Amino acid sequence: MPTPDPSPRRSVALHLALAALCALAATRVLGFAAPSRDLMALWLAAQEVAAGTPDRIYAPLEPLFTMRPAMDWYARAEVLGRPGQVYPYLYPPLWAHLLAPLTGQIGFANFAAAVLGVQAGLLALMPMLALRLAGLVAPPARAQILFWIGAVAALILSHGVPIALTQGQPQITVAFLTLLALERAAAGRPLSAGLCMGVAIALKLTPLPLALLWCVTGQGRAAGIALATAAALALVSIAWAGWPVHALFLAHLQAINATAISSMVVASFDQLWGSLCCSDLAQKIPDLPPEIGTSTTGWFILPKSALWAGAQKLAIVIALAGFGWALHRKTDPLPRALLWGAAIATLAFLGPIGWLYYYLVSLVLLPLVVPALGLRALLLPGPVLLLINLGRGPALPGWLSPFAHVSTSLAMLVMIAVFLWAAFRPLPQNRIPPMQ
């Protein structure tokens, strides 16, 4: 019997070591200093459940999504040692109920530091999953390290991802589960793929269209398991928390869908179209409500018309059909991985809000354009990262200033174009062959 090739195991060991190093460094360097305000929304909601007021985990409902919690949450955040900006809880009730018992056992600072270390480790593991999704299971160690450095650099320079990490944004966990699900499905493991995708959908609904794409790309079993897992967790949540609070949750999602948000950490069709058609109708929401303090920073919101929202939904359907057709045609794992990167970025761009960290999976997959196009592609990620940071630097020349506030949205359009170009170009003859 031939001895199995140990190189895939060495590849996993290498990335596990890098992940452990990143987790330790993040905990030691940032640890208790990280703001963790996104994570704090989950903690405050869990405290509401623990206090016997589970009907207060969501902010008072408004016609438009202002990204503001109930006023008393600001005082409770100050008690936790996090005065200032506070975000609302926007996840299914299940997760607040699951965390509720812990709020009486450990302090928020310890919880946030632990989550920071875990999420840093998950981010560091994602380049390995990207390589495996592309069929590059065990390239030379030097190539793996270079790819890992490129992927981590893309994450760090993307502005939104460092914010997500230091704020404890659950989207990091969702992105890791999504990429793991795609990799497991590509490896012929529909059960683990479906379970990972189902949990990701239950955390946030944003990966749901990806499970639908599985239905038309030969991964019907994984899609069924994902949808069944998400449905089972939804039923558990309803049985545990009751229907009224879920109705409020769905009403908040409807308000989000009816609102266009513009910010330097947003990249979306809403931001781009809103700046072109009706920026004069935008309302500025300061970081802090006037009852709490004064603030010079914040974000802009404006209502979306029925035609606007309907056109977005139609565009999503067309995008799903197009990517389903493309993924069905491509058999080589590298172009398929690039198409997944384009699909995830396109759906995030057309979906509600479009925070920059919604593009996390696509950013990790972005360095795959180099093995797909050769060394000439090394410069392609540059314009994407430059555009993301365009509005954050010093004052721009007059001819560039009109693009500053939509530079992040333009960056994502460029990234989608780069993915599609790389996916449909003939593969170079000297690239690393996919592992069988």
Side-chain angles (χ1 to χ4, degrees):
M1 180 179 295
T3 304
D5 183 5
S7 53
R9 294 184 180 179
R10 285 201 296 266
S11 174
V12 173
L14 172 64
H15 286 270
L16 285 174
L18 291 170
L21 183 63
C22 286
L24 179 62
T27 306
R28 291 295 298 270
V29 174
L30 297 172
F32 296 93
S36 306
R37 298 194 187 279
D38 283 313
L39 190 65
M40 186 170 61
L42 171 60
W43 185 268
L44 292 175
Q47 282 189 330
E48 295 283 13
V49 175
T53 54
D55 56 322
R56 298 189 71 255
I57 64 175
Y58 296 111
L61 187 62
E62 299 183 53
L64 294 181
F65 176 59
T66 61
M67 216 164 69
R68 288 271 181 80
M71 287 299 298
D72 64 318
W73 276 29
Y74 290 92
R76 294 177 57 187
E78 191 168 1
V79 172
L80 295 177
R82 301 296 200 279
Q85 195 172 354
V86 182
Y87 299 130
Y89 179 72
L90 297 172
Y91 309 98
L94 173 64
W95 309 107
H97 282 260
L98 283 173
L99 183 61
L102 279 180
T103 59
Q105 305 298 321
I106 61 173
F108 176 69
N110 292 319
F111 176 67
V115 170
L116 175 68
V118 170
Q119 289 189 328
L122 295 181
L123 285 172
L125 281 175
M126 289 180 70
M128 176 191 71
L129 298 178
L131 286 171
R132 296 175 69 89
L133 178 63
L136 308 176
V137 179
R142 181 181 299 177
Q144 291 184 62
I145 293 174
L146 288 175
F147 181 88
W148 186 85
I149 292 172
V152 170
L155 294 178
I156 292 173
L157 296 174
S158 66
H159 179 45
V161 177
I163 291 175
L165 181 63
T166 56
Q167 299 287 11
Q169 171 56 236
Q171 178 64 29
I172 294 175
T173 303
V174 173
F176 175 82
L177 289 172
T178 300
L179 186 55
L180 178 60
L182 295 176
E183 185 275 329
R184 289 290 80 199
R189 299 290 187 268
L191 177 59
S192 55
L195 289 173
C196 290
M197 188 68 82
V199 174
I201 294 169
L203 279 164
K204 283 193 175 184
L205 295 178
T206 47
L208 178 59
L210 302 180
L212 299 179
L213 273 178
W214 271 346
C215 296
V216 295
T217 56
Q219 299 288 353
R221 187 181 173 195
I225 294 171
L227 296 175
T229 301
L233 289 171
L235 290 174
V236 170
S237 185
I238 293 171
W240 197 346
W243 174 249
V245 70
H246 283 82
L248 183 59
F249 167 61
L250 295 176
H252 276 281
L253 293 185
Q254 187 175 0
I256 290 173
N257 286 325
T259 308
I261 292 186
S262 181
S263 163
M264 286 309 300
V265 290
V266 168
S268 67
F269 171 81
D270 284 343
Q271 183 188 59
L272 199 57
W273 179 249
S275 67
L276 293 174
C277 80
C278 37
S279 59
D280 55 321
L281 300 177
Q283 172 190 355
K284 183 173 182 180
I285 307 295
D287 283 342
L288 297 174
E291 299 90 337
I292 303 299
T294 57
S295 176
T296 57
T297 58
W299 48 91
F300 293 88
I301 65 170
L302 68 155
K304 297 195 295 189
S305 66
L307 179 61
W308 179 347
Q312 261 183 296
K313 291 181 175 64
L314 178 61
I316 289 173
V317 172
I318 293 172
L320 285 173
F323 282 111
W325 170 81
L327 286 164
H328 185 73
R329 279 192 62 204
K330 294 291 183 181
T331 56
D332 191 291
L334 180 53
R336 284 176 66 88
L338 294 166
L339 283 172
W340 280 118
I344 291 169
T346 301
L347 293 170
F349 186 81
L350 294 173
I353 303 184
W355 301 112
L356 276 178
Y357 41 76
Y358 283 6
Y359 298 87
L360 205 158
V361 174
S362 297
L363 288 165
V364 171
L365 295 174
L366 185 58
L368 288 175
V369 300
V370 177
L373 296 174
L375 293 179
R376 60 182 175 175
L378 278 173
L379 297 178
L380 286 177
V384 176
L385 300 173
L386 176 64
L387 279 169
I388 289 176
N389 292 279
L390 186 64
R392 300 176 57 235
L396 298 171
W399 64 277
L400 273 179
S401 56
F403 302 100
H405 67 291
V406 294
S407 58
T408 49
S409 297
L410 296 175
M412 295 305 108
L413 289 177
V414 172
M415 183 168 70
I416 293 168
V418 168
F419 272 128
L420 293 175
W421 182 43
F424 287 101
R425 289 274 295 179
L427 293 171
Q429 296 298 317
N430 60 346
R431 75 181 181 97
I432 300 171
M435 298 290 292
Q436 300 297 323

